[in-house]
Amino acid sequence: MGYLGLKPGETIKCRDRQHMKKVHDELAALGIRSDYLYVKDGKEGTWIIIEPKH
């Protein structure tokens, strides 16, 4: 997947928590800061949210 064009605030829908961890690790390896998101727009699920660079 092409992660390099992601902007802060964008999200990635994940299949499950294992997939979240994998995506989070892949982003970290590219120097992209992200966090886990379990509720989006009032719906529970598994997402990764892109954080701003510091």
Side-chain angles (χ1 to χ4, degrees), residues 1-4 6 11-13 19 23 26 30:
M1 181 174 214
Y3 296 128
L4 296 178
L6 293 170
T11 58
I12 300 168
K13 176 67 175 150
H19 185 232
V23 172
E26 289 173 357
L30 295 171

Side-chain angles (χ1 to χ4, degrees), residues 17-48:
R17 290 177 188 232
Q18 291 173 327
H19 185 232
M20 286 176 80
K21 173 76 169 120
K22 180 180 183 232
V23 172
H24 186 266
D25 291 347
E26 289 173 357
L27 291 168
L30 295 171
I32 299 171
R33 292 175 38 119
S34 63
D35 200 0
Y36 301 115
L37 184 65
Y38 295 102
V39 178
K40 179 181 173 191
D41 301 327
K43 291 187 175 184
E44 291 186 17
T46 51
W47 293 271
I48 295 288

